[in-house]
Every structure is written in C-alpha cells, then in structure tokens.
C-alpha cells in the first residue's frame, strides 16, 4: 500500500510540477526560462548547418487518422513505389488505449505504452484528487510545451534523446500543421525543434514553435509559410506542413524528422469515411510524399534515409450512435457522480465517488444500451473486470483483446469504467448532434485500431508484406535499431521481420510477441465483421 501511495503522490506531483514550470516559463518570458527547466538539446546546436552529416537518417510520417483500407495504392502512385521498395504491415494497429492523437504521438516518440508515458487522452484524473488534468486540446497550454515536459517528467525514454546519445550534435525535428499537441508529444520534451502552424495577431497562419525548441528566424519568417488565413481548402494545410518540413531539411539536415499531417483527421470528424472527400485528401498526401522524397534526394540524404509511414489512429464512421445523455442518466441514476465522461468509439468514465464504481458499472450493464457491447470496471488493484455478459459479444476471445488494450493504459490516472462499442459506432453528444459529427475514434474497435505502417530504406526487405501485428509502440525501437541504437527499457520491440539482416536479439524479441498480439488482432477483426447474437 505504501508503494502505491508513493506512486500516486509522485504522479500528482508531476502534474503540479509541469504546470508550475509552464506558468513560470510564461511569466518569466519564454525560451531562456524554459531551457533552464529542460535544457533542450537545441541550446547546444548552431543553426548554420550547410551540409548533411553522414547517415543513417530517419523520416517518420504520420497521416493523422488514416485507415488502412483508405490507402488505395492505385490512386497513390508515389506511396505504391515506397511500398514496392519496402515492407508493409497488413495487420498494423494502434495496439493501445486511447486511440487518439496526443496519446499515440507520445507512444511513437517514446516507444512506451500510455501506462508509462501517462498521456491518457485529452485529459485524465490527477491521482488522489477529484480533478482532471489540464485539457491537452488547449492551444494556449500546448504552445508552452506542456505535453513534452509532462512526458519528460515521467522519466520515459524518448526516441529523440536516444538519437542524441548515439549521434552527439545531431538534430531531431518534430512538426505538424496546427496540431501542436502531436508535434510536442512526438518530440517528448527532447527534440531540438518542435514547430507547428498557428494563427498570429494578423490572423495569418504562420509557423510557431515550443519555447526552448525554436528554429532559425529564417524558417519562422519564411514568406512561403505565411498564409493570410487558416488554410481551410482541403490539401493546403498538409502542403504547408510539407513546406515547413523542407525548410527544416535544408537548414538542419536532421538525423530524425517526425511529421504529422493533420488534414485527414480534421475532415474525418466531419464526413466520416466519405470517399468523395477522403480520396482527394489521400491523393494530396501522395503528392506531399513525392515532394519530401524529392527533397531528401536534393539534400543528398535519400539513399541513407529510412522512411516510416503510419497513422496515429484510424477513423470510425458514425453509422450507429450512442447517446452521451443516456449514459449520463444511467450513471447518475445509479448514484454515480461524474468527474469526466469521454467520447469516441468508446466511452471512458471517471467518477468522483469511486465507491460507486461496482454499482454504476452494473447499472450500465443492465441498461443494455444499444451498440455498447462490453462494460468494464476498474477494481481496487487497478485491473479491469468485464461486468456485462460475454454473450453480447460475437466472439468470446475478444475479451482478451479488450483486456490487453485496457492493460495498455492501466494506471492511477485511468478511467474507472470503460464502455466498448460495436463497430462503426460513435458517441453522440448534444454538441456533436448540433454540428453533425460523422466520425470519431479513441476506442478499441478494429475500425479505429487498424492503421497503415510501411518501412523503407537501406537493408529493408523490398516488396514484402508482413502479417505481424505491429503496434505504434514498436516504431521507436525499430527506428533506433535501424539507426544503430540499442533500444532501452521500452515497451515496444523492433520490427525485425522487415530487416534483411536483423540482430538476433531483435528477432527473438519480436517472436515472443507474435502469438498473443496476433490473437488480439484476429479477435478484433472477427468482432468487427460480426453482429452480437444478443443485444
């Protein structure tokens, strides 16, 4: 009990310490103050690099909210060329909860599961308190570097810091369009430069950067990156992001560059998976990929660069809806006091009165809410138990898949109750109903979990399709291994089967995961194509 109490206290202190550091940075006046908190590697680098250092290099591209089945190679010739020259994972999946941007990018940037890096969504419970953490969708908060500092404070390893350790003086860049929370999470507090798009006082869309991780003025003041308004026309923001990446490439020749393309996610929430909207966006992504490959060629780095293309989560169309009000009424009717009720293609619930968890979970099970296929409750030890009947599920084996997903974020901060949904089902709040929301993600359905993952570069198998159920947590140790870095104390494993000459230890590490993860993926896939017999 004493150990658990200490852990809760330390985690609560992380929130307070990071918030205090963030406030101090803002009050004291920016980059110089923040560098005293984290001493980012950017303080050690000149911004006048003219030629590329010896390889190898890595480029990680995250197409926000891209589904595996939306990557139509017949309409994406440049991606098809990358696939033909590399290895793709047909069963790649997020492999954790929640399946959302901040959490997934933190996992990509650390190789750790949410239970360790503790970015558990847009918000989560502050341990030991009836209080939720700051909202990570707050642009004002995010632009202070809160997420990166939070990850750093948990002691999680970061891909950026491990690159720096192996290659002293090398540059790591993490960028996005408007999604500062994606760039900051991938940088994990250790990337040299963390940049994104923001609206300035003139209402122009221009580059911004996290204090202490600010690039050269020539990038921030580039006329090519100064748009007269936020780029609402489809394709413009992803194109802007590519231009930003090119600026960093030619200025710094980064050892590692990580890029988030935000537009597929933005559109998906509005239109779901509507092909008339989504296919042109993917065609545009294909053009941006061609631009980046050409840029790496001009920089003389392409032959020495590993390219990893993936998504942070997929997108579920709202064919069916679960009413947030109905769930709320069941909770309060059973005596539960709601601290926070989430949404997506699942519902995470935090209660102010944890003693009511068994009663509320039983009431949610008995309510038999349409398209809610499983109700899980967290017990005194932190583990989750299935409360609803397994007969609601088409395949009983999916309970193990759900248990493994729940285990990925089990911690003092995790939800008290989790509702899993049928496929193609999203939470409908009054506001979502008003704006006509058509798509969402966050949960454990195969539709939100199944993502693309492609690896290309020197010593990578060509024109090879792997059936291994690769996860986001495997990306960091894979990049590390390809760059000649020994992964350390991370939850993921290197994707050795993509390598032509993998180290034996990497083959063995991957092999130990295959059976369990394959069973998880198969159960989720089967559940997705079947309807429960009992509803």
């Amino acid at each position: 009990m004493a150990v658990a109490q200490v852990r809760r206290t330390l985690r609560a202190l992380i929130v307070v310490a990071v918030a205090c550091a963030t406030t101090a940075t803002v009050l004291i006046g920016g980059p110089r103050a923040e560098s005293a908190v984290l001493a980012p590697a950017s303080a050690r680098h000149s911004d006048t690099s003219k030629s590329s250092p010896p390889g190898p290099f890595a480029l990680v591209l995250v197409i926000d909210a891209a589904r595996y089945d939306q990557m139509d190679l017949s309409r994406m010739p440049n991606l098809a060329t990358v696939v033909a020259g590399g290895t793709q994972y047909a069963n790649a999946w997020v492999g954790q909860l929640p399946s959302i941007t901040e959490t997934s990018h933190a996992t990509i940037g650390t190789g750790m599961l949410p239970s360790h890096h503790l970015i558990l969504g847009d918000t989560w419970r502050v341990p030991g308190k009836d209080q939720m953490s700051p909202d990570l969708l707050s642009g004002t908060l995010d632009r202070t570097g809160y997420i990166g500092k939070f990850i750093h404070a948990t002691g999680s390893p970061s891909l950026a810091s491990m690159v720096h350790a192996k290659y002293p003086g090398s540059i790591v860049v993490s960028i996005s369009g408007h999604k500062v929370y994606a760039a900051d999470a991938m940088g994990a507090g250790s990337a040299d430069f963390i940049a994104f798009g923001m609206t300035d006082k003139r209402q122009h869309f221009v580059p911004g950067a996290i204090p202490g991780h600010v690039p050269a003025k020539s990038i921030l003041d580039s006329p090519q990156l100064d748009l007269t308004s936020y780029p609402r026309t489809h394709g413009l923001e992803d194109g802007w992001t590519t231009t930003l990446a090119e600026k960093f490439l030619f200025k710094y020749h980064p050892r590692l560059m990580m890029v988030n393309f935000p537009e597929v996610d933005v559109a998906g929430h509005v239109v779901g998976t509507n092909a008339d909207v989504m296919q042109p966006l993917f065609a545009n992504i294909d053009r941006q990929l061609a631009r980046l490959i050409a840029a790496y060629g001009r920089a003389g780095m392409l032959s020495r660069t590993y390219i990893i293309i993936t998504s942070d989560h997929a997108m579920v169309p709202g064919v069916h809806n679960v009413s947030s009000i109905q769930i709320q009424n069941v909770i309060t009717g059973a005596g539960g006091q709601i601290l926070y009720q989430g949404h997506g293609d699942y519902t995470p619930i935090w209660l102010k009165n944890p003693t009511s968890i068994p009663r509320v979970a039983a009431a949610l099970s008995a309510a038999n809410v349409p398209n809610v296929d499983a109700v899980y409750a967290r017990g005194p030890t932190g583990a989750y138990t299935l409360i609803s009947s397994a007969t609601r599920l088409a395949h009983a084996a999916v309970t193990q898949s759900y248990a493994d997903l729940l285990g990925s974020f089990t911690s003092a901060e995790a939800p008290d109750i989790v509702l899993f949904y049928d496929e193609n089902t999203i939470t409908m709040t009054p506001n979502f109903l008003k704006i006509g929301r058509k798509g969402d993600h966050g949960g454990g359905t195969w539709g939100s979990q199944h993502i693309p993952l492609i690896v290309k570069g020197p010593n990578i198998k060509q024109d090879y399709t792997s059936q291994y159920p690769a996860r986001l947590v495997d990306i960091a140790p894979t990049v590390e291994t390809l760059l000649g870095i020994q992964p350390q104390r991370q939850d993921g494993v290197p994707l050795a089967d993509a390598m032509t000459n993998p180290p034996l230890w990497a083959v063995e590490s991957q092999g130990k995961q295959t059976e369990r993860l394959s069973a998880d993926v198969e159960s989720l896939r089967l559940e997705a194509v079947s309807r429960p017999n009992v509803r």
Side-chain angles (χ1 to χ4, degrees):
M1 177 64 73
V3 173
Q5 208 166 22
V6 169
R7 289 186 68 189
R8 285 196 297 271
T9 302
L10 287 174
R11 288 175 170 179
L13 286 173
I14 286 173
V15 176
V16 174
V18 172
C20 289
T22 300
T23 302
T25 299
V26 174
L27 292 177
I28 294 172
R32 186 171 300 171
E34 184 166 350
S35 65
V37 177
L38 280 186
S42 56
R44 303 192 303 269
H45 298 300
S46 166
D47 63 4
T48 58
S49 174
K50 298 298 182 183
S51 59
S52 64
F57 307 98
L59 172 63
V60 178
L61 302 177
V62 183
I63 308 168
D64 207 300
R67 290 171 62 105
Y68 176 86
D69 57 12
Q70 289 175 317
M71 306 289 276
D72 184 351
L73 298 184
S74 68
R75 300 187 182 191
M76 302 178 74
N78 300 300
L79 180 63
T81 299
V82 172
V83 170
T87 293
Q88 66 171 327
Y89 286 84
N91 290 315
W93 62 313
V94 179
Q96 64 183 37
L97 291 176
S99 51
I100 70 166
T101 299
E102 305 97 297
T103 302
S104 292
H105 283 79
T107 296
I108 291 170
T110 63
M112 304 297 283
L113 291 169
S115 57
H116 292 129
H117 62 61
L118 298 181
I119 302 297
L120 299 186
D122 300 334
T123 183
W124 54 87
R125 184 199 300 277
V126 177
K129 296 186 178 182
D130 287 338
Q131 176 186 339
M132 298 298 285
S133 69
D135 182 2
L136 298 190
L137 294 181
S138 165
T140 302
L141 177 73
D142 292 342
R143 288 193 289 272
T144 67
Y146 178 90
I147 298 174
K149 286 185 283 189
F150 186 94
I151 295 170
H152 187 274
T154 66
S156 297
S158 71
L159 177 52
S161 64
M162 294 177 77
V163 168
H164 288 139
K166 175 68 175 181
Y167 300 100
S170 62
I171 301 291
V172 177
V173 173
S174 183
I175 65 173
S176 177
H178 76 276
K179 290 197 172 189
V180 53
Y181 45 87
D184 194 23
M186 273 197 300
S190 298
D192 298 281
F193 305 117
I194 303 173
F196 48 87
M198 59 179 285
T199 301
D200 68 7
K201 293 179 181 179
R202 303 168 300 160
Q203 298 304 303
H204 285 207
F205 190 73
V206 297
I210 298 295
H213 306 267
V214 179
K217 195 171 184 292
S218 60
I219 292 179
L220 297 180
D221 293 345
S222 169
Q224 289 177 285
L225 295 169
D226 188 336
L227 305 182
T228 55
S229 62
Y230 177 78
R232 298 189 183 280
T233 301
H234 286 170
L236 289 184
E237 186 176 1
D238 285 345
W240 182 95
T241 304
T242 300
T243 302
L244 180 64
E246 289 174 329
K247 298 291 183 183
F248 275 103
L249 175 65
F250 290 111
K251 183 70 176 178
Y252 296 108
H253 300 93
R255 178 77 58 183
L256 168 65
M257 182 148 63
M258 301 176 284
V259 182
N260 165 271
F261 289 113
E263 286 199 63
V264 170
D265 179 76
V266 174
H269 284 298
V270 178
V271 304
T273 55
N274 186 323
D276 291 339
V277 175
M278 304 311 290
Q279 284 305 323
L281 282 175
F282 279 99
N284 179 62
I285 286 289
D286 195 58
R287 290 190 290 273
Q288 305 317 315
L289 174 61
R291 286 179 60 192
L292 284 171
I293 289 174
Y296 269 79
R298 294 196 305 277
M301 298 163 60
L302 184 60
S303 65
R304 296 169 288 158
T305 298
Y306 292 97
I307 301 174
I308 295 88
I309 301 171
T310 190
S311 178
D312 53 343
H313 55 78
M315 182 69 68
V316 172
V319 178
H320 309 289
N321 295 328
V322 172
S323 168
S324 65
I325 299 298
Q326 182 179 3
I327 293 172
Q328 176 183 318
N329 289 340
V330 173
I331 295 170
T332 56
Q337 300 172 22
I338 299 173
L339 178 61
Y340 185 80
Q341 180 179 323
H343 63 83
D345 65 319
Y346 84 141
T347 293
I349 300 163
W350 286 262
L351 298 174
K352 293 180 182 178
N353 51 339
T355 56
S356 72
I357 292 174
R359 185 169 65 254
V360 171
L364 286 165
S365 176
N368 202 24
V369 178
N371 298 112
V372 172
D373 71 11
V375 178
Y376 280 82
R378 194 156 65 100
T381 65
Y384 287 90
T385 301
L386 177 64
I387 304 301
S388 55
S389 172
T391 59
R392 294 190 191 184
L393 302 165
H395 297 274
V398 81
T399 58
Q400 184 59 56
S401 304
Y402 289 164
D404 288 342
L405 285 170
L406 289 165
S408 72
F409 75 169
T410 298
S411 62
E413 295 83 353
D416 298 312
I417 298 172
V418 176
L419 311 182
F420 285 95
Y421 291 176
D422 289 334
E423 199 70 24
N424 298 333
T425 301
I426 66 173
T427 309
M428 190 56 64
T429 69
N431 184 54
F432 290 169
L433 186 63
K434 180 179 179 180
I435 65 178
R437 195 175 183 97
K438 295 291 194 300
D440 218 332
H441 52 86
T445 67
W446 188 232
S448 67
Q449 287 281 326
H450 193 197
I451 57 173
L453 178 57
I454 301 154
V455 183
K456 182 182 185 301
N459 306 313
I460 295 295
K461 294 177 183 176
Q462 297 186 26
D463 198 20
Y464 176 67
T465 298
S466 172
Q467 301 302 316
Y468 179 77
R471 303 166 294 166
L472 290 179
V473 75
D474 299 328
I475 290 176
T478 298
V479 171
E480 289 155 9
T481 303
L482 293 174
L483 295 182
I485 303 168
Q486 180 74 39
Q488 297 178 13
R489 61 187 180 86
Q490 289 160 294
D491 295 321
V493 298
L495 298 174
D497 65 329
M499 306 173 193
T500 56
N501 188 29
L504 180 60
W505 62 264
V507 175
E508 293 174 344
S509 295
Q510 185 182 23
K512 292 176 182 177
Q513 304 283 346
T514 302
E515 184 176 357
R516 178 178 61 83
L517 295 178
S518 295
D520 282 346
V521 161
E522 181 64 7
S523 296
L524 290 174
R525 188 187 66 78
L526 289 174
E527 190 69 21
V529 299
S530 305
R531 296 290 296 175
N533 296 320
V534 178
R535 181 46 85 236

